[in-house]
Amino acid sequence: MRQIILDTETTGLDPQQGHRIIEFAGLEMIGRKLTGKHLHLYIHPERPIDPDAQRVHGISLEFLEGKPVYAKVAQEIADFLRDAELIIHNAPFDVGFLNAEFGKLGLPPVHELCANVIDTLAEARDMFPGKRNSLDALCDRFEIDRSNRTLHGALVDCELLSEVYLWMTRGQESLAMDIDVEVPGALSGQDIDFERKPLKVARANEAELAEHQAYLDTLDKTVKGACIWRALENPAPAEG
């Protein structure tokens, strides 16, 4: 399935209060590999940016001067996302903003546009209950290099999230990787002869046969009649 690693930056925290998307980034992944196809846009919000939000992402209104407004890029974003499975860290936040922007223009909401949404934050909380599960914390946990990330930016966060997602969903791949590890002294399939050899039959000698008969005599006395071994050795003739 075609997957899109997605992130946005915004003017504030709540689209219901009129806050808007100012940066959109999506990386395409197919078969658990990034294809190189991506969509990255800066968008003029047509409103001020909250100072607290700007301190997080570092995007100023002056930087966005001359960038397209959302109405100019909405269809391009919708076409890029169509029928894909979205992978988002804290999905309700980004989906809420996308739905608000699409709704203003009469475009369908994300759940109609896309095949599915995976929230990596919710999955991380299930995997690591009681621990910090921010994108930074997960990068540290999985030893993913984030030295180039000084501020939150949608594109760099998508790149980091793609690595986090692959670590979180390794599943059977980790077993396959372990199989390929060479262990010193371990036998490989080429070292083992799988050809079936004829079984060697060791027959009892005279002394062993005499000892067996003596043991059966003891059993005969115990059960007051022929023991089962005698019956098997000397079956009664069939009635004719």
Side-chain angles (χ1 to χ4, degrees), residues 202-211:
R203 300 187 179 279
N205 57 35
E206 292 296 328
E208 291 170 334
L209 289 173
E211 185 177 352

Side-chain angles (χ1 to χ4, degrees), residues 24 33 43 53 57 70 81 88-89 96 104 120 125-126 152 160 181 209 211 221-222 226-231 233:
F24 172 92
K33 295 184 182 298
I43 304 164
H57 51 60
Y70 199 89
L81 300 182
I88 310 173
H89 201 66
K104 290 183 179 73
T120 51
R125 285 170 174 166
D126 288 339
H152 285 268
L160 293 174
V181 175
L209 289 173
E211 185 177 352
K221 295 177 182 178
T222 303
C227 69
I228 187 66
W229 283 103
R230 299 286 193 200
E233 290 178 344

Side-chain angles (χ1 to χ4, degrees), residues 166-191:
L166 292 175
W167 269 100
M168 290 175 62
T169 58
R170 288 175 70 190
Q172 293 299 318
E173 286 189 344
S174 62
L175 296 179
M177 291 168 64
D178 290 343
I179 289 173
D180 293 333
V181 175
E182 292 186 5
V183 179
L187 294 176
S188 68
Q190 295 178 342
D191 297 323

